[in-house]
Amino acid sequence: MDYIFDGSYLGYLCCVFEAFERKEFDSIPKTGKAAEITLFSEKRMISTDTKKANRILTGMEKIIGKQETIFFYHNFLSDNQIEWLNGFRLIVELFRKKQLDIHNYGYPPILRLHQSIKKINRERHRMKAFIRFVKSNDYLYTAVVEPDFNVIPLVVQFFKNRFADQCWLIYDLRRNYGFHYDGNTVVEVSPNESDEIRDPYQLEVDLDPQEKAYQHLWKTYFKSTTIESRKNVKLHLRHVPKRYWKYLVEKI
Amino acid sequence: MFGFDDKLQILADAAKYDVSCSSSGSKRKNNGGIGDSSASGICHTYTEDGRCVSLLKILMTNFCIYDCSFCVSRRSNDVQRAAFSVKEVVELTMNFYRRNYIEGLFLSSGIFKSADYTMERLMLVVKKLRTEERFNGYIHLKAIPGASESLLKEAGLYVDRMSVNLEIPTEAGLKLVAPEKDHQSVREPLTIIKNEIQNVQQDRKTNKKIPLFVPAGQSTQMVIGATPESDFQIMEAANTFYKDYNLKRVYYSGYIPINATDSNLPQIGTAPPLVRENRLYQTDWLLRFYGFSLHEILNSKHQDLDLEIDPKLAWALRNPQFFPIDINTANYNWIIRIPGIGRQSAKKIIQARKYGKLKEHQVQKIGIAYNRAKYFMLCQDTLITAGFHYPEKIRKSILEHNPQSQIKGPNSQLTLF
Ligand code: SF4
């Protein structure tokens, strides 16, 4: 049985709620897009209900603790059906047995959960590092990215603390949404609410007059720091995989 | 035409030989201005030689009144000279930081006119960044040996880390390539800063309002392979400086030949000793985080590190009497001594074994270097064979089957363990 939810974490948790209500523990949480492909399996539409989702969350926190409950959120941000299913089955197990040894790395599904979280954390760390802001003439600093996983929500607080006195926009082009900070609060933005968001490197007209100069200086700096006699392209590529280059000033 | 771009190129180029780049270990919080340095270090990019770029690392100037022969900025070297103004460094730092290119600034300098003249300009940069720009990002300042105590102390109010480079591990080696310099002039600023760090820490216990002073501590750097010290001598120097000055880090920088006239130095074209440099870092790591003492790894009998295998494996092969170690019963301090098992996997093993004795296939998946570790550990289902293999045999089969611990060629950089 496929459970079709809206793609939000709360919707995902509602699948767990539903599974218990109907005793359909073998169901598979999916989003509409993924479900179209599997034509022949049975489907049930799951509506997102904040109250139900919160009951699941508090229940989990009671059994495994707050910190550990967040693991499942991070795993969910993997954007991956298989990891979703693994997390879903573990939550079901957690409630059926009224316990879950979340650090039992000898148990394959738990190990898998941690491996998935590790990947998310790596991508989150990379976003802190590889986001590059482009300044436009209205003092907005814009960064556009396409992370492998849906990790932008995990770095918003970091950038809010760090760039507290400048307005910025971080936009996930792959998932088509982002976050805007106006010097006070952060709000989620999607393209139908504001204008279409374009790759800021392609902008010419709206740029701050000094923007190009600083991009150029950064490239100069990047080149000057390489020590020719130590060149090691393989290592370089491992640290800065090619798929990120598109948005890195020094690599364009 | 000699523009700002050329200046940056010259002064970044001259600063690149300083290896320290970390931006961690501070706790400066953003209080409404810009930036923080409370997060653990972030590498924003990597150079094509694979080193991390976390800070804008530049020299204030590459003019220098000294003539240390291992240094590109030495006065007798025929290179283009340039100097930044205080304002230029501040603007560059702020603009790079606001675009999230960097975690902060690493500022160093050749010695221009006098130690105090130079130190004052460095101090003015960091003061301006903190007080006028309200910048809370990371700042690492290279103190100028011979600068007056009051200038050092004032600069210390604004920076996260201070360092003074030892340059060459022994006094005798230093005399060979920089007769005008001595270790004592490095010890002086390190002592001043160390004492002030301790005073401020003491005072802050009772009064939180006292400003931070070099919160990420001090570090130093040695150039290795320029002069003929053994690894034992290098690590002894490091050990002493760690102890005497409470250093946070010692950096080892494999000498890159840049001097064609001094015959004391390796000639241009000689490959930098990258593998050796990496082994020294691994040793440093073992001393600081793995509970090893120096004489276990290097001593008068073993003066140099084995370049073919890492120092933990080398130690294990010399000490077969401690192995195999039972990972289901041994404590953490012993598990991390098993070659191929790092601190994180050791912690995981200890967590996981609470739920039942661990078997080989489970330990393998935890993320250890099984091909190395297997000779040195016992799992629940390990077959007890006829005792410990001969160290030489293990060494051979590890080198054959595990290219990881082999030398990868003169120009590759190795990672830690
Ligand atoms: S004093 Fe410093 S900058 Fe000047 S030549 Fe010696 S090492 Fe180089």
Side-chain angles (χ1 to χ4, degrees):
Chain A
M1 168 75 69
D2 285 354
Y3 274 9
I4 314 298
F5 70 105
D6 64 359
S8 72
Y9 186 50
L10 296 183
Y12 177 71
L13 294 173
C14 288
C15 296
V16 180
F17 194 94
E18 197 84 5
F20 275 90
E21 216 164 50
R22 299 183 184 271
K23 301 216 165 10
E24 291 172 343
F25 301 118
D26 287 331
S27 35
I28 300 170
K30 279 184 180 168
T31 53
K33 254 188 271 155
E36 280 165 21
I37 309 163
T38 51
L39 283 175
F40 302 107
S41 57
E42 271 189 275
K43 293 187 183 82
R44 193 184 303 292
M45 304 304 285
I46 307 296
S47 55
T48 299
D49 176 337
T50 317
K51 262 197 226 126
K52 287 181 183 171
N54 276 329
R55 274 179 63 187
I56 297 288
L57 275 181
T58 10
M60 288 164 74
E61 283 174 11
K62 259 195 206 128
I63 298 172
I64 54 170
K66 230 186 171 93
Q67 214 51 45
E68 285 72 12
T69 299
I70 295 174
F71 287 167
F72 288 93
Y73 174 54
H74 289 185
N75 177 59
F76 174 76
L77 295 178
S78 66
D79 251 4
N80 177 311
Q81 304 280 332
I82 301 168
E83 307 306 340
W84 282 357
L85 183 60
N86 186 47
F88 176 83
R89 296 234 162 105
L90 282 170
I91 302 175
V92 167
E93 183 180 334
L94 177 160
F95 282 116
R96 294 185 84 179
K97 293 191 186 155
K98 298 272 178 291
Q99 65 151 35
L100 187 71
D101 298 330
I102 199 86
H103 292 290
N104 182 7
Y105 302 100
Y107 178 46
I110 289 284
L111 187 68
R112 173 154 204 135
L113 181 80
H114 286 283
Q115 281 163 344
S116 156
I117 295 168
K118 203 171 161 186
K119 281 189 216 154
I120 306 291
N121 278 332
R122 192 190 302 141
E123 189 75 350
R124 169 205 218 167
H125 190 79
R126 277 180 170 154
M127 284 303 118
K128 290 181 185 174
F130 292 163
I131 273 182
R132 297 282 182 269
F133 289 112
V134 173
K135 188 183 181 190
S136 44
N137 58 10
D138 56 357
Y139 296 98
L140 179 69
Y141 287 81
T142 303
V144 159
V145 283
E146 292 177 89
D148 283 355
F149 312 111
N150 187 11
V151 292
I152 299 304
L154 299 180
V155 297
V156 165
Q157 192 56 41
F158 169 84
F159 283 106
K160 190 182 166 197
N161 290 343
R162 171 161 290 199
F163 298 109
D165 71 346
Q166 73 189 38
C167 302
W168 48 257
L169 169 71
I170 299 174
Y171 200 80
D172 182 338
L173 260 193
R174 182 179 297 182
R175 294 166 191 85
N176 242 317
Y177 83 112
F179 295 91
H180 176 256
Y181 173 71
D182 63 0
N184 258 316
T185 39
V186 179
V187 282
E188 195 174 317
V189 290
S190 47
N192 37 359
E193 283 167 39
S194 60
D195 311 330
E196 193 199 342
I197 286 142
R198 290 202 294 144
D199 177 353
Y201 291 127
Q202 308 305 326
L203 293 177
E204 291 286 345
V205 275
D206 305 337
L207 286 185
D208 180 274
Q210 285 190 310
E211 176 58 33
K212 288 278 174 198
Y214 279 109
Q215 287 183 16
H216 183 74
L217 285 171
W218 177 242
K219 282 188 202 185
T220 302
Y221 176 73
F222 179 74
K223 261 189 247 136
S224 316
T225 49
T226 294
I227 298 177
E228 283 297 320
S229 58
R230 299 182 72 131
K231 223 168 187 171
N232 185 350
V233 179
K234 237 171 84 191
L235 190 65
H236 174 69
L237 283 175
R238 204 167 71 218
H239 288 309
V240 194
K242 272 219 170 99
R243 63 179 186 279
Y244 299 100
W245 287 18
K246 211 161 127 193
Y247 297 111
L248 290 173
V249 184
E250 65 272 21
K251 290 311 240 172
I252 302 174
Chain B
M1 271 292 284
F2 188 75
F4 189 73
D5 204 49
D6 303 293
K7 238 195 231 189
L8 176 62
Q9 197 179 325
I10 294 168
L11 295 171
D13 195 287
K16 72 188 177 189
Y17 299 99
D18 218 301
V19 282
S20 139
C21 77
S22 89
S23 56
S24 52
S26 200
K27 45 180 176 241
R28 202 173 294 273
K29 283 257 157 58
N30 188 358
N31 39 19
I34 176 168
D36 65 66
S37 20
S38 46
S40 58
I42 295 179
C43 306
H44 284 272
T45 191
Y46 290 80
T47 59
E48 279 168 25
D49 54 66
R51 286 169 314 135
C52 139
V53 179
S54 148
L55 304 171
L56 168 63
K57 194 191 308 182
I58 46 174
L59 298 188
M60 191 85 201
T61 175
N62 66 338
F63 284 102
C64 192
I65 54 175
Y66 286 100
D67 205 32
C68 313
S69 59
F70 53 85
C71 174
V72 257
S73 302
R74 67 185 183 276
R75 68 166 184 263
S76 67
N77 201 17
D78 182 20
V79 286
Q80 263 195 315
R81 306 284 167 171
F84 280 126
S85 71
V86 171
K87 188 164 162 262
E88 283 171 338
V89 178
V90 170
E91 273 173 13
L92 194 59
T93 309
M94 292 309 295
N95 273 290
F96 278 6
Y97 193 85
R98 287 194 179 279
R99 287 168 176 78
N100 205 40
Y101 298 167
I102 51 169
E103 286 295 289
L105 174 67
F106 178 122
L107 188 59
S108 164
S109 186
I111 299 169
F112 193 41
K113 285 192 192 164
S114 69
D116 267 355
Y117 180 84
T118 313
M119 191 65 212
E120 187 175 12
R121 290 162 67 83
L122 299 180
M123 189 277 291
L124 285 173
V125 169
V126 298
K127 183 176 182 177
K128 210 169 151 97
L129 278 170
R130 293 287 192 229
T131 55
E132 287 173 31
E133 301 289 338
R134 302 179 70 203
F135 175 70
N136 294 296
Y138 194 87
I139 302 179
H140 179 156
L141 194 64
K142 197 99 129 298
I144 305 294
S148 63
E149 181 160 349
S150 62
L151 273 175
L152 288 173
K153 281 190 183 166
E154 182 163 10
L157 290 173
Y158 307 116
V159 306
D160 294 284
R161 174 166 288 180
M162 195 97 94
S163 66
V164 192
N165 285 358
L166 199 51
E167 313 291 12
I168 302 292
T170 61
E171 192 82 50
L174 186 62
K175 279 275 164 287
L176 215 58
V177 288
E180 302 157 296
K181 295 185 117 188
D182 55 45
H183 275 182
Q184 187 50 31
S185 64
V186 175
R187 290 181 180 271
E188 272 159 21
L190 285 174
T191 310
I192 294 170
I193 302 299
K194 179 190 114 182
N195 291 340
E196 191 65 9
I197 290 176
Q198 281 170 350
N199 291 342
V200 171
Q201 270 172 358
Q202 201 54 40
D203 294 347
R204 273 175 65 90
K205 274 188 195 145
T206 49
N207 183 358
K208 281 273 164 255
K209 291 221 177 78
I210 292 173
L212 292 170
F213 186 87
V214 196
Q218 305 197 82
S219 65
T220 193
Q221 169 175 317
M222 305 183 222
V223 174
I224 57 134
T227 42
E229 285 90 356
S230 69
D231 292 338
F232 183 39
Q233 280 175 303
I234 292 169
M235 290 314 301
E236 259 188 327
N239 226 15
T240 321
F241 272 80
Y242 270 125
K243 265 211 304 282
D244 292 356
Y245 303 102
N246 256 327
L247 296 184
K248 282 281 153 49
R249 288 289 302 269
V250 172
Y251 292 93
Y252 311 88
S253 163
Y255 178 66
I256 295 155
I258 41 173
N259 190 330
T261 49
D262 190 334
S263 58
N264 285 319
L265 292 165
Q267 290 313 293
I268 290 180
T270 317
L274 296 183
V275 179
R276 183 177 180 205
E277 179 189 293
N278 187 256
R279 296 287 178 241
L280 288 167
Y281 277 114
Q282 289 176 324
T283 306
D284 185 279
W285 213 253
L286 291 179
L287 301 182
R288 288 188 300 140
F289 302 115
Y290 283 75
F292 281 88
S293 59
L294 179 57
H295 75 264
E296 288 182 281
I297 301 169
L298 289 162
N299 47 53
S300 47
K301 243 175 82 196
H302 295 100
Q303 300 238 3
D304 286 305
L305 296 163
D306 194 326
L307 294 182
E308 279 188 339
I309 56 176
D310 71 67
K312 192 159 98 176
L313 178 58
W315 169 81
L317 291 175
R318 286 204 303 266
N319 293 279
Q321 71 275 18
F322 296 125
F323 297 100
I325 287 169
D326 186 339
I327 56 125
N328 280 305
T329 55
N331 69 22
Y332 172 79
N333 291 334
W334 276 103
I335 294 181
I336 55 174
R337 287 193 168 221
I338 300 174
I341 299 187
R343 292 181 299 164
Q344 288 210 348
S345 338
K347 278 184 201 142
K348 277 193 182 160
I349 287 171
I350 293 200
Q351 286 274 4
R353 73 189 188 189
K354 288 184 195 150
Y355 306 102
K357 297 233 172 203
L358 296 173
K359 300 188 172 170
E360 267 171 14
H361 73 272
Q362 291 169 308
V363 181
Q364 261 184 61
K365 284 204 193 117
I366 276 174
I368 65 168
Y370 183 73
N371 270 332
R372 236 175 313 159
K374 68 180 176 195
Y375 301 100
F376 304 95
M377 64 174 188
L378 282 179
C379 303
Q380 203 212 2
D381 56 342
T382 305
L383 294 172
I384 311 282
T385 50
F388 195 71
H389 292 66
Y390 291 108
E392 262 322 301
K393 228 174 102 191
I394 296 178
R395 180 193 173 101
K396 213 171 142 239
S397 54
I398 287 177
L399 281 176
E400 268 165 18
H401 298 295
N402 189 358
Q404 277 294 310
S405 45
Q406 278 180 356
I407 308 173
K408 287 180 192 156
N411 276 327
S412 68
Q413 272 209 324
L414 303 170
T415 43
L416 287 168
F417 303 105

